[in-house]
Amino acid sequence: MDEEMKALNDNDTWSLVPLPKPVGYTQCYGIDYDETFSPMAKLTSILKPSYGQVFIDALQITQYYLRTQREGIQKIKERICAEFKPKDLGLLKYFLGIEVLQSKHEIVQSQRKYALDLIEETWMMGCKPIDTPMDANTKLCGGTGEDLDIGKYKRLVRRLIYLCVTTPNISYAVSVVSQYMHKPQLSHWQALERILRYLKGASGRGLLYKNHGHFNIEGFLDAGWAGSLDDRKSTSGFYTMVGGNLVTWKSRKQSVVAWSSAEPEYRAMAELLWVRSLLT
């Protein structure tokens, strides 16, 4: 722990300031009291802006690495070490609940242990697996029945949201159940249980990255029409592939009632342009 603290201080990760009075505490018992991560963190924001130029340089060196392999990796390490004081832990195997398997020709990412731990904690280990995370004919809506344990419901939904990192095919189902965290009903909990039953049989699945012989950028989009029974708003989803590998995906409910599919199409196009500019 002392070594970790020294490394954080050497890299100017934070600045120590006097403790404010009175001290506020926003975590709630039964929901996120024991969690140590920031709920506001976003995967695309892991690389902080202050590191930007260094990683741009590293990416430029990566082009050199693609031609010279081992020498290029060493150049990247030297460039990063010149600015920071990192630790070389070798090939990535496990990071924040994400398991990474690497071979010479491909990389596989999954959250198998994370998913199995979640299923065990919710007493669903003995359930019968199911093939889909949500019934295509299911239409959830707000109800007037007896409310469930909000804290338990929120905690489970939040953990499922993080599971979408390597299991994009549950993104739509999770986006639907997350709309009822303020007042969950029995039907919403049953939808959650179906997602867990799906994960029981799909916990070992993940994302495969390999060389498909091209570097094309492709995007795919679909949108429902007035799918919400509460407000008649549509839900759209899209994903982006680079070189035949999945890199971004999203499922979201539209903020207004849509007259056509033009809005999600523009959103998907903006994502494609962002990926292209990033690669450029």
Side-chain angles (χ1 to χ4, degrees):
M1 181 61 71
D2 291 338
E3 293 180 2
E4 294 291 340
M5 290 295 294
K6 184 178 185 304
L8 292 171
N9 288 325
D10 291 344
N11 286 322
D12 295 325
T13 306
W14 56 53
S15 299
L16 295 179
V17 298
L19 187 67
K21 301 291 185 179
V23 178
Y25 194 74
T26 59
Q27 289 175 264
C28 300
Y29 187 79
I31 300 178
D32 56 0
Y33 186 82
D34 296 322
E35 303 293 345
T36 56
F37 62 89
S38 169
M40 299 303 294
K42 191 176 181 182
L43 290 176
T44 52
S45 64
I46 290 178
L47 302 182
K48 299 176 183 180
S50 58
Y51 300 164
Q53 187 58 48
V54 175
F55 280 96
I56 289 175
D57 294 344
L59 288 173
Q60 292 174 344
I61 299 174
T62 303
Q63 298 175 0
Y64 173 76
Y65 150 67
L66 293 174
R67 295 189 296 270
T68 59
Q69 296 185 353
R70 294 184 178 274
E71 295 82 354
I73 293 178
Q74 188 59 36
K75 289 289 186 181
I76 294 175
K77 290 181 178 179
E78 292 174 359
R79 179 69 183 91
I80 294 177
C81 289
E83 298 291 336
F84 309 106
K85 296 181 180 179
K87 295 180 180 179
D88 188 352
L89 302 178
L91 289 177
L92 178 63
K93 296 181 179 179
Y94 193 82
F95 179 72
L96 296 178
I98 302 174
E99 301 170 54
V100 182
L101 299 177
Q102 303 188 47
S103 68
K104 186 176 181 180
H105 301 290
E106 60 187 30
I107 299 174
V108 178
Q109 296 182 5
S110 70
Q111 292 170 281
R112 180 178 179 275
K113 184 179 183 302
Y114 185 92
L116 291 177
D117 288 345
L118 179 58
I119 294 171
E120 185 176 5
E121 291 175 15
T122 52
W123 302 92
M124 295 287 290
M125 191 59 75
C127 71
K128 183 179 179 180
I130 202 165
D131 294 332
T132 58
M134 176 169 276
D135 186 350
N137 297 320
T138 297
K139 298 290 185 181
L140 296 181
C141 62
T144 57
E146 182 179 356
D147 294 343
L148 301 181
D149 186 337
I150 295 180
K152 183 179 179 181
Y153 188 89
K154 283 185 176 181
R155 175 175 172 81
L156 181 53
V157 170
R158 287 174 176 175
R159 296 193 66 178
L160 287 174
I161 290 174
Y162 186 64
L163 196 55
C164 293
V165 172
T166 62
T167 318
N169 46 338
I170 68 171
S171 296
Y172 171 72
V174 173
S175 71
V176 173
V177 296
S178 65
Q179 298 173 28
Y180 303 99
M181 290 196 291
H182 62 291
K183 192 176 182 180
Q185 304 286 307
L186 179 60
S187 60
H188 309 143
W189 182 259
Q190 291 172 339
L192 275 181
E193 289 183 334
R194 184 184 177 99
I195 298 175
L196 293 173
R197 290 177 61 192
Y198 170 77
L199 292 173
K200 172 72 181 302
S203 60
R205 298 178 184 176
L207 299 176
L208 170 66
Y209 297 94
K210 61 186 297 184
N211 185 355
H212 292 277
H214 66 86
F215 213 58
N216 298 337
I217 302 176
E218 303 167 291
F220 299 85
L221 164 76
D222 196 9
W225 177 254
S228 175
L229 297 180
D230 295 318
D231 51 23
R232 310 306 296 171
K233 293 179 180 178
S234 303
T235 297
S236 61
F238 66 85
Y239 65 93
T240 306
M241 304 185 75
V242 177
N245 297 302
L246 184 65
V247 292
T248 66
W249 57 91
K250 181 177 292 187
S251 175
R252 63 169 295 169
K253 185 178 180 181
Q254 301 302 308
S255 57
V256 297
V257 177
W259 288 94
S260 69
S261 60
E263 181 182 353
E265 289 171 356
Y266 276 117
R267 290 183 181 275
M269 183 59 67
E271 187 78 8
L272 288 173
L273 293 175
W274 175 78
V275 172
R276 188 178 69 175
S277 65
L278 180 65
L279 294 174
T280 302

